[in-house]
Amino acid sequence: MKCRVCRGPAVIDLPRHNANFCGEHLVEFCHRQVEKAIAHHDMFEPGDRLLLAVSGGKDSLALWAMLRELGYDVDGLYVGLGIGDYSDTSGRHAREFAQQRGLVLREVDLRDSYGYDIATAAEQTSRKPCSACGLSKRHVFDSEAVAGGYDALVTGHNLDDEAAVLFGNMMRWNVDYLGRQSPVLEAHGGRPRKVKPLVRLSERETAAYCLVAGIDYVVQECPMAEGNRHLSYKATLNDLEVESPGIKANFYLSFLARGLPLFEPAAHTERAALARCSTCGAASPSSTCAFCRLVERLQQTPEETP
């Protein structure tokens, strides 16, 4: 197997691109895909201050490395979720990555800042762990980006993530969600601008990038994600990708080009009608946002002593 560019030994085959790449040209390929996403969707410009949500996993660390190598000003944000050894390992990878490269890593611990962790929230509110986790992280990400005066909040959602979410929303015809599935969401109602520069790269490609670039990341899947329906959507799309290389990218990228414009007007109208949370000031469909209701409920429910 030879690299398409230099004809040297290849380290990865990419059937959807009908190409193989050596380590050097895989890095170039990944940089090119990220630059293309940034430019095509007008995500940000050199000189903008960016805050990247960092989990300690392959996608966020690979994206941090790529954006820095491309010359962007990026700080990291790690949220301590209190998920036992998984959170300990994730946090260690994020800190080591930042320390080794002299980068700024902001940290927020849910237990220290808000008095709960994900397991507690799921148990005491009967929410699924992934629901409590997503709600909590979105609030912290938004708050930290706004408080820090950053121009955009960057997340490491990749092609597989976005295609799986799109697949789920289409299976249920969640029209409101379909209208918000752009890789760029403009700032509104006390929330920051949000961008996803990895939408043209798959999980396999970012994992290969980390291997070539010497990036150590947490490999373990979150133990509380078992049963998450997006994992089954990813498995279904991966099966289709094996049979028809490129179909996953075509599904998602063609939606952005042809489908998203049909759903965006309704989503914009919905956002414009949002009120402000009386507690935190963020945009909300009710007088108290879902995150502040979660915190209030947990404060009213004493934790059981083990």
Side-chain angles (χ1 to χ4, degrees), residues 4 8 56 98 108 127 176 182 204 218 222 224-225 232 245 260 291:
R4 183 174 72 178
V108 175
R127 275 180 175 269
D176 293 344
S182 169
R204 181 168 173 263
V218 60
C222 176
M224 305 195 80
S232 64
L260 182 61
F291 175 79

Side-chain angles (χ1 to χ4, degrees), residues 39 69 76 164 189 201 228 252 270:
E69 290 168 9
L201 288 174
N228 185 315
Y252 174 65
E270 181 190 18

